[in-house]
Amino acid sequence: MAHRIEVEHGTTLFVEDIGSGQPVIFLHGWPVNHRMFEHQMATLPEKGFRFIGVDLRGYGQSDKPAYGYDYDRMADDLRVVIDTLEIKDAVLCGFSMGGAIAIRYMAKHGEKGISRLALLGAAAPVFTQRDDFEFGLPKENVDDLILGAYADRADMLKDFGGLFFGKEPSTHFNSWFHSLGMQAGPHATIESARTLRDADLRGDLQVISVPTAILHGRNDEICPFDLAEQMEAGIANATIIPFEESGHSLFHDEREKFNETIIQFISEPVKS
């Protein structure tokens, strides 16, 4: 089932909703869309879970307004989706930029509708280095992505893909994944990159109280593993699960382990 949900006047999001059982919400990374979770879309409904994939504003089949590409607005969009679909006791899974949005949602909306959080190669708590934060990428690297998006977005995405995958994907998979990035609005790609560069979620971490799994590739060149350690230190009920053979694309590099870990995390009883 597919939904088109109006999150503010004139802006609707596309939401893929497959299966029944406990809902598992997936937030994609920059600059693709919910179809990056192809393997989970196929597997989770077979295992008795409800897959909910959200195309963030500006991406995939969602509307692409001129504004609203900050984490506050995108977290508010998610709240409308959760309220509209009357979702309760969900697992919120955020990948890369989607992980940052998930963290902001949990802090801003009081964990409404969410009982567990999975951060998947998350671009958090701070994506870029600054005077009091030595981890992450240099801000200049993101500036280069923005300039590349203005000049030749298709070529920039090709180069970005060279850093993305820890294990070389097939030619067909690589072409398909590149096409997901080209489905985004160019302005959404640029404005979201500015948010990635500038946002600071360190204050949000301490608010999160639900069980949190941090899945992160040891060889991640986009969101270095140090970021996972910073998230674990800031979230009270968090555990890192390292993916020793993965780059940023842990969902592809170690697909079977990724699916098994997500399903185990969803299924294990909550400790009292």
Side-chain angles (χ1 to χ4, degrees):
M1 178 185 300
H3 308 280
R4 294 209 68 92
I5 296 175
E6 188 172 48
V7 292
E8 62 177 350
H9 181 67
T11 299
T12 65
L13 299 192
F14 180 85
V15 180
E16 191 96 60
D17 189 348
I18 304 171
S20 59
Q22 185 174 15
V24 188
I25 303 169
F26 286 88
L27 302 181
H28 62 81
W30 180 92
V32 290
N33 57 61
H34 86 279
R35 296 203 66 84
M36 67 162 284
F37 297 110
E38 163 131 331
H39 300 310
Q40 293 68 53
M41 199 184 308
T43 301
L44 287 177
E46 292 179 350
K47 301 295 185 180
F49 301 104
R50 179 182 174 190
F51 173 95
I52 299 172
V54 180
D55 280 352
L56 301 168
R57 65 167 59 209
Y59 297 90
Q61 297 179 68
S62 289
D63 288 345
K64 300 169 176 63
Y67 59 88
Y69 299 101
D70 58 279
Y71 293 152
D72 275 345
R73 178 63 255 180
M74 290 193 277
D76 291 347
D77 289 350
L78 178 60
R79 175 64 186 267
V80 176
V81 170
I82 287 173
D83 287 348
T84 301
L85 299 181
E86 299 181 344
I87 294 171
K88 298 179 177 65
D89 191 33
V91 180
L92 179 58
C93 300
F95 172 78
S96 198
M97 180 181 74
I101 295 166
I103 288 170
R104 176 53 50 87
Y105 176 85
M106 300 297 278
K108 184 175 184 182
H109 292 285
E111 305 175 345
K112 173 71 164 60
I114 306 300
S115 60
R116 299 174 193 255
L117 174 66
L119 300 172
L120 318 171
V126 183
F127 184 56
T128 54
Q129 299 164 6
R130 50 207 68 194
D131 289 344
D132 62 345
F133 193 81
E134 61 183 316
F135 314 103
L137 297 181
K139 285 190 174 184
E140 293 76 16
N141 290 26
V142 184
D143 292 337
D144 288 343
L145 294 174
I146 293 169
L147 291 173
Y150 276 117
D152 187 338
R153 186 163 61 105
D155 195 57
M156 179 275 290
L157 291 178
K158 178 184 72 66
D159 291 343
F160 183 71
L163 295 174
F164 195 92
F165 291 101
K167 294 182 179 178
E168 188 68 26
S170 69
T171 300
H172 295 302
F173 186 94
N174 200 38
S175 297
W176 169 76
F177 202 79
H178 182 272
S179 75
L180 300 185
M182 290 304 294
Q183 290 171 28
H187 58 296
T189 301
I190 291 165
E191 289 302 318
S192 298
R194 291 184 174 128
T195 298
L196 275 163
R197 180 191 63 194
D198 298 336
D200 187 339
L201 301 173
R202 283 176 285 184
D204 294 33
L205 299 183
Q206 61 191 9
V207 181
I208 298 171
S209 62
V210 300
T212 301
I214 301 171
L215 284 62
H216 216 101
R218 285 279 190 192
N219 305 314
D220 196 328
E221 295 185 67
I222 293 171
C223 295
F225 194 80
D226 289 344
L227 295 185
E229 295 171 339
Q230 293 297 305
M231 286 183 281
E232 184 186 44
I235 299 173
N237 195 8
T239 303
I240 293 180
I241 302 165
F243 280 64
E244 303 292 344
E245 301 175 12
S246 290
H248 195 46
S249 57
L250 65 168
F251 63 93
H252 174 269
D253 297 337
E254 296 181 75
R255 174 177 56 84
E256 291 184 1
K257 177 181 176 179
F258 184 87
N259 284 347
E260 289 168 1
T261 301
I262 291 288
I263 290 168
Q264 180 179 355
F265 177 63
I266 296 168
S267 304
E268 65 188 13
V270 177
K271 297 175 183 177
S272 58

